[in-house]
Amino acid sequence: MRIDILTVVPELLESPFKYSILKRAQDNGVVEIHVHNIRDFSTDKHRKVDDYAFSGGAGMVMTIQPIESAIEHLKSQRSYDEVIYTSPDGEVFNQQIANQCSLYENIIILCGHYKGVDQRVREHLITREISIGDYVLTGGEMAAAVMVDAIVRLIPGAMSDETSALTDSFQDNLLSPPVYTRPADYKGWKVPDILLSGNDKQVNDWKEKQAWQRTKLLRPDLLKGHE
C-alpha cells in the first residue's frame, strides 16, 4: 500500500510514522507513507494556500489550485482507490472503515485546515470524507495519523502476530475481554481461575461472555443489530 498525505503543516506528521508498528511496516516494505506540503504546489509567489471566504466571516479557506495541482500530480503517477478529506462532517471513522481501507493499494488523504477547503474541492476532487469524532481539531493532521495507524496495522505483514489485529476491540462489534499476565497473584489481586485452567474451550467461552458483558455495559450502541 502507498498512502500520500497532503497537508499545510507537514511538520505535525514527522513523529507519528517513525515508531512502532508504522515504522516496521515501512521498513519491511509493507507500506509507503509520503507526506506532501501543499504549499509546494502553489503557483503564488509567496506559496499562499488560503484566502478569505466570499461570504465573509472569521477564518481563512484553503484554495483550490494548490490542492488540485497536488492531487493531479499524484494521479499522473498512479491510480488511487480513494481521495479522502478529513472533515468534521464526514462519516465517522470506525473499525469497519479501517478494515475496508486496509484492502486498498493507494490512498490520498487531504488534511483540512483553517475553516476548511473550498467546497468545489469536495465536489470535484474528493471521493470520501471521514471524521474521527464529533469535535473540531486545529487541522486534519492528527486525524490522518489516527486513520493511517488504524489502517496500516491491519495490512498483512505489518504486525509480527497478524492474528492479534483480528481479536482487537470492534472487529466483531464487541469490546475485547479483560486481559491478564504474570504474576497470577499480585498483593492478593488474582487472575480469574478459568484463565489458569488450561481448558481452551472454557477459556474461549469466558472471553466471549466477558466481551458481551463489557460491551453491554460500556458501549451498548455497538450491540444494535448484533443480537
Side-chain angles (χ1 to χ4, degrees):
M1 175 184 284
R2 176 182 169 117
I3 301 174
D4 289 279
I5 303 175
L6 305 179
T7 171
V8 296
V9 195
E11 295 81 6
L12 286 176
L13 293 170
E14 288 181 357
S15 176
F17 306 140
K18 290 184 177 181
Y19 301 94
S20 190
I21 292 174
L22 290 179
K23 182 180 186 301
R24 291 198 299 272
Q26 293 175 85
D27 290 344
N28 295 334
V30 172
V31 65
E32 293 182 33
I33 303 174
H34 299 271
V35 179
H36 308 272
N37 191 337
I38 296 175
R39 298 183 190 279
D40 293 339
F41 297 90
S42 175
T43 57
D44 180 83
K45 65 179 181 179
H46 301 297
R47 303 173 77 216
K48 188 177 180 181
V49 296
D50 60 312
D51 209 332
Y52 295 102
F54 278 126
S55 58
M60 305 293 280
V61 179
M62 295 175 69
T63 56
I64 298 176
Q65 181 274 311
I67 296 172
E68 194 266 348
S69 294
I71 292 175
E72 290 307 309
H73 170 73
L74 292 172
K75 283 186 172 182
S76 70
Q77 300 175 21
R78 67 193 62 81
S79 61
Y80 286 88
D81 299 281
E82 295 276 18
V83 180
I84 298 171
Y85 172 51
T86 59
S87 167
D89 52 355
E91 59 183 313
V92 179
F93 189 70
N94 57 26
Q95 192 63 43
Q96 286 66 46
I97 295 176
N99 289 340
Q100 182 184 35
C101 290
S102 72
L103 301 177
Y104 293 155
E105 291 186 5
N106 302 308
I107 301 173
I108 293 175
I109 301 178
L110 170 62
C111 300
H113 214 79
Y114 309 116
K115 294 294 285 187
V117 300
D118 187 299
Q119 181 65 23
R120 290 167 290 183
V121 170
R122 302 169 74 167
E123 292 173 351
H124 299 286
L125 301 174
I126 301 302
T127 64
R128 192 169 195 173
E129 299 189 13
I130 295 179
S131 166
I132 62 168
D134 295 337
Y135 45 86
V136 177
L137 299 171
T138 302
E141 288 75 21
M142 294 301 99
V146 167
M147 289 190 290
V148 170
D149 186 282
I151 292 168
V152 170
R153 67 194 307 278
L154 296 170
I155 303 173
M159 300 179 67
S160 55
D161 182 359
E162 295 179 11
T163 61
S164 177
L166 300 178
T167 58
D168 285 342
S169 289
F170 307 114
Q171 280 292 5
D172 51 4
N173 279 345
L174 294 174
L175 300 181
S176 295
V179 293
Y180 299 85
T181 187
R182 296 177 179 81
D185 186 335
Y186 182 77
K187 297 183 178 180
W189 305 341
K190 298 182 179 180
V191 172
D193 292 337
I194 185 65
L195 298 181
L196 308 177
S197 68
N199 188 316
D200 290 341
K201 183 181 184 306
Q202 291 183 5
V203 169
N204 289 334
D205 289 344
W206 179 88
K207 288 182 177 180
E208 183 176 358
K209 183 178 180 180
Q210 288 292 316
W212 274 89
Q213 290 179 344
R214 284 171 54 81
T215 305
K216 186 175 182 179
L217 176 65
L218 301 173
R219 290 292 305 276
D221 56 295
L222 295 175
L223 296 178
K224 293 180 181 179
H226 200 288
E227 297 177 328

